[in-house]
Amino acid sequence: MLFAILAVVGAVSACGRAPGETDRRLSLDGRTVAMSGGAGGAAKACFSCHGLDGMGDGVSVPRLAGLDAGYLQKQMEDYASGIRPDKVMGSVAKPLDDWSRRAVGAYYASLPVRSGPASTTPPPILWTQGDPERGLAPCAACHGAEGQGVGAGQPALAGQPAAYTLDQLQRWKRAARRNDPRGVMATIAARLTESEAAALAAWSETRPASPAPASGAASASAVEAAAAGSAASREGRRRDR
């Protein structure tokens, strides 16, 4: 009887060790995590939504290729902790350890970006000038004149699907997303009309995608400029509490 119990315990222990070894092998590097899903398993593999080249689906799934590694890592951490709620990405990020989240972010940041021909359509006024009367900073202050990002803290919007960008603006507007620095995006999105948000998302999709400039100083100054004078930057957070 004792032998039988010990045998069962040994079998259970062996089963407990196997997933750990499997997880280790599936998390050897960022590319492996992206292709295998790491500890989350094959059903959570990043490439199944974002593509083998990291360029997304061009409809509603964003490109990851060429985005800043630090930005991607932060989003993965926010998904895992629930600060950025998302049913799909939360289930992808939570099983991964810190190393795997860093590694997969760095992998996608290293991928080359494929750009199509840029549209000659001029940017919306809100993109270049904002609206001081409504306390709206120009989008270019943080995301660049062509939407390719300003520093590590602000992601490139150029070439991102309009449907995805619009969805994120709507999430900020209803305080369903709250992981932006100083609540800047929550404040801006709350003051945009539906047509303004749609126009900004549509124009940014037409810009040529390229890696964001790596400048922490530029990132910090841009956030400060966008946040200056915005006493309502915390309103989005309060609404959801």
Side-chain angles (χ1 to χ4, degrees), residues 159-201:
Q160 293 288 23
Y164 170 77
T165 302
L166 181 59
D167 176 60
Q168 297 308 302
L169 287 171
Q170 292 170 342
R171 292 190 187 200
W172 270 308
K173 187 166 188 172
R174 63 177 187 267
R177 179 176 175 181
R178 298 171 295 158
N179 70 329
D180 49 320
R182 302 173 184 265
V184 171
M185 283 306 306
T187 299
I188 290 174
R191 297 173 183 176
L192 292 175
T193 66
E194 291 184 8
S195 60
E196 288 171 340
L200 291 168

Side-chain angles (χ1 to χ4, degrees), residues 86-217:
D86 188 275
K87 183 177 180 180
V88 174
M89 284 304 304
S91 67
V92 170
K94 286 178 182 178
L96 303 179
D97 58 20
D98 292 340
W99 186 91
S100 296
R101 291 194 285 268
R102 287 196 301 272
V104 76
Y107 168 70
Y108 277 111
S110 72
L111 292 181
V113 180
R114 186 179 67 253
S115 292
S119 168
T120 57
T121 303
I125 295 297
L126 286 177
W127 188 280
T128 56
Q129 299 180 27
D131 187 344
E133 291 187 1
R134 285 189 287 165
L136 290 173
C139 304
C142 292
H143 298 289
E146 289 292 297
Q148 294 162 0
V150 177
Q154 285 66 246
L157 302 182
Q160 293 288 23
Y164 170 77
T165 302
L166 181 59
D167 176 60
Q168 297 308 302
L169 287 171
Q170 292 170 342
R171 292 190 187 200
W172 270 308
K173 187 166 188 172
R174 63 177 187 267
R177 179 176 175 181
R178 298 171 295 158
N179 70 329
D180 49 320
R182 302 173 184 265
V184 171
M185 283 306 306
T187 299
I188 290 174
R191 297 173 183 176
L192 292 175
T193 66
E194 291 184 8
S195 60
E196 288 171 340
L200 291 168
W203 183 80
S204 63
E205 181 182 47
T206 68
R207 312 324 299 155
S210 68
S215 169

